[in-house]
Amino acid sequence: MDNLKIERTKSTPYIFFDAASGRLRVEGESYPENVVKFYTPVLDWLHGYFAEGADNITLEFKVAYFNSSTSKVFMTIFDLLEEYVTTGRMIEVVWICDRDNDVSIECGEEFKEEVEQLSFRIEAC
Amino acid sequence: MNIRSLYLEEEAVLKRAEGLLMSQQCFSLDVYRELYEEYRKLLKQMKTLVNVADLTQAELKTLSEELGKVSRIDGLTELYNRRYFREIFLHTWQQAVEEKDILSLLMIDIDYFKKYNDTYGHLQGDECLKAVAAEFQRAVGHPEDFVARFGGEEFVILLPHSDAEAAIDVAKRLLQNIENLCMEHSASPFGQRVTISVGIACRCPTSDVKPNTLLDEADQALYKAKAAGRNCFKLYV
């Protein structure tokens, strides 16, 4: 499967999903004008990746600023991952934030409460 | 599951509920439970969404307030800056026009400040500006009195509802406070201490007079104070 790479813009994050290593990164800021349009290829890629039987995945989020629509998409992603975790796949989400950014840490904690079986780790560095 | 619509799942739940209602048939507890579970999950998601949005909004509000504050303050002296002075001055002027009130303006210059910088260096020059600015702030009496750095070694003090007599009192306090500072200035002829010159202008603004007039008059008075030998104040007449 091909990697997914989307370059960072002012309002959208850098996306690099490495199919071989299972390391998927979302990094930057996210307030796209059309959040559905931007994240549809991302969700499509994830669906395709899991359909091919992908296992042992780490999804890293390092998103300093995001709008409400983006957080809805993030939760849709977490929901999708949670579904696959229940089928026995090894998936971990890492929410990476600046240790001085209390808001980002708190947002990570909110998302963490949202998931039940999915491993969700907050890494403040 | 995909995101052709951001609220695809919510719409699907609604559609299913509508379908059940339209069918007008009894449906099993299992169907009801399934719908209930989905609704519960989506409600939880919505609560998270709102919490996250609130956190972000609170942060933006704080940042916006900090930015607003920073944009009004002179970074060195922590007095208000010229931009904000202009805003307050125009507002105060307009208010005085409407209320037929009096206001005064003091324009202040540190005497021989270029020589001070040449003698002690710019870093010590900054310290001098900070110390002098603090004394100016201390010299004003009313909460509405407005002290600002006008630029370089020039400062302004706006005194709403104040006549010439009140402005002269403030000017005397300014001169006294700076004298009491006893800040060494070896290149100054005034006892080798830092001193200031003050120009005062006082007016009952009217709509046919431009606000800049008061600034010009205070500036002219300051020029006279300097011409009179500095370390003094002059009132525009």
Side-chain angles (χ1 to χ4, degrees):
Chain A
M1 183 160 183
D2 290 340
N3 292 339
L4 176 71
K5 188 173 181 178
I6 302 173
E7 290 301 341
R8 181 181 181 153
T9 71
K10 192 169 167 278
S11 59
T12 57
Y14 170 66
I15 303 227
F16 185 62
F17 287 0
D18 184 358
S21 68
R23 187 172 176 228
L24 319 179
R25 284 166 62 207
V26 181
E27 190 173 334
E29 298 192 343
S30 179
Y31 50 102
E33 207 171 301
N34 186 337
V35 78
V36 173
K37 193 176 166 194
F38 179 77
Y39 281 102
T40 293
V42 177
L43 264 290
D44 285 348
W45 192 94
L46 280 172
H47 279 292
Y49 192 46
F50 284 118
E52 287 194 1
D55 199 355
N56 219 339
I57 294 156
T58 305
L59 191 53
E60 296 174 357
F61 286 86
K62 193 177 179 185
V63 189
Y65 177 80
F66 52 92
N67 64 7
S68 298
S69 299
T70 296
S71 52
K72 172 72 174 151
V73 173
F74 285 176
M75 283 189 284
T76 304
I77 293 174
F78 301 150
D79 209 23
L80 172 75
L81 300 179
E82 189 123 86
E83 272 180 38
Y84 282 104
V85 164
T86 55
T87 65
R89 320 249 184 150
M90 298 282 288
I91 306 171
E92 184 181 40
V93 170
V94 187
W95 184 261
I96 303 166
C97 40
D98 193 322
R99 73 163 67 115
D100 296 327
N101 191 342
D102 292 342
V103 172
S104 187
I105 295 170
E106 283 179 64
C107 287
E109 280 161 1
E110 287 287 341
F111 287 137
K112 189 177 177 166
E113 279 184 37
E114 180 63 27
V115 300
E116 283 170 8
Q117 296 184 53
L118 175 68
S119 163
F120 194 106
R121 186 159 56 85
I122 297 167
E123 197 175 288
C125 49
Chain B
M1 178 174 62
N2 61 38
I3 55 158
R4 302 295 167 206
S5 152
L6 197 55
Y7 303 99
L8 200 77
E9 283 187 83
E10 287 81 351
E11 285 156 11
V13 168
L14 273 183
K15 215 169 180 177
R16 281 178 56 203
E18 273 167 18
L20 290 168
L21 284 171
M22 295 299 280
S23 71
Q24 294 189 335
Q25 288 169 358
C26 286
F27 47 87
S28 73
L29 212 56
D30 284 346
V31 175
Y32 179 81
R33 184 176 291 117
E34 203 182 317
L35 264 182
Y36 167 80
E37 287 298 338
E38 278 197 50
Y39 173 78
R40 209 172 64 138
K41 188 191 89 183
L42 292 169
L43 180 65
K44 191 179 168 207
Q45 208 178 67
M46 193 202 71
K47 285 179 181 169
T48 304
L49 189 70
V50 170
N51 287 348
V52 168
D54 283 353
L55 283 167
T56 312
Q57 274 176 16
E59 173 75 350
L60 285 177
K61 178 92 176 78
T62 309
L63 287 175
S64 153
E65 280 169 1
E66 279 174 15
L67 197 64
K69 198 178 160 200
V70 164
S71 74
R72 295 194 290 265
I73 300 285
D74 169 60
L76 178 71
T77 61
E78 294 183 353
L79 292 178
Y80 290 113
N81 59 22
R82 184 172 182 155
R83 196 184 65 78
Y84 191 52
F85 163 75
R86 186 83 199 153
E87 196 181 316
I88 292 295
F89 175 54
L90 293 179
H91 175 75
T92 307
W93 178 274
Q94 193 53 42
Q95 215 167 25
V97 170
E98 286 160 9
E99 293 169 10
K100 296 183 174 55
D101 198 3
I102 197 165
L103 78 158
S104 294
L105 187 74
L106 279 69
M107 196 161 274
I108 311 147
D109 205 52
I110 302 176
D111 297 328
Y112 305 108
F113 189 68
K114 191 183 174 305
K115 282 185 180 173
Y116 187 92
N117 270 337
D118 292 344
T119 311
Y120 299 101
H122 283 88
L123 287 179
Q124 184 54 39
D126 285 352
E127 292 305 315
C128 174
L129 287 167
K130 276 155 69 175
V132 165
E135 290 307 321
F136 292 164
Q137 191 64 65
R138 260 171 21 98
V140 296
H142 304 108
E144 282 186 309
D145 295 347
F146 188 92
V147 186
R149 187 176 178 199
F150 203 59
E153 72 272 28
E154 245 185 357
F155 298 83
V156 281
I157 300 179
L158 179 64
L159 305 171
H161 326 297
S162 297
D163 58 12
E165 204 179 329
I168 287 170
D169 281 346
V170 172
K172 284 179 180 170
R173 273 206 301 278
L174 292 173
L175 286 157
Q176 190 62 54
N177 283 9
I178 301 304
E179 195 180 317
N180 293 348
L181 255 186
C182 291
M183 190 172 250
E184 187 188 291
H185 185 351
S186 61
S188 168
F190 297 111
Q192 299 190 324
R193 294 282 183 264
V194 169
T195 57
I196 55 168
S197 298
V198 184
I200 307 168
C202 183
R203 254 186 186 271
C204 271
T206 49
S207 53
D208 57 336
V209 178
K210 287 182 179 169
N212 272 356
T213 309
L214 191 67
L215 277 167
D216 287 341
E217 290 169 354
D219 204 29
Q220 285 180 45
L222 174 62
Y223 182 80
K224 280 184 184 161
K226 285 181 185 175
R230 296 182 168 90
N231 191 23
C232 64
F233 68 86
K234 291 289 171 192
L235 175 69
Y236 178 86
V237 282

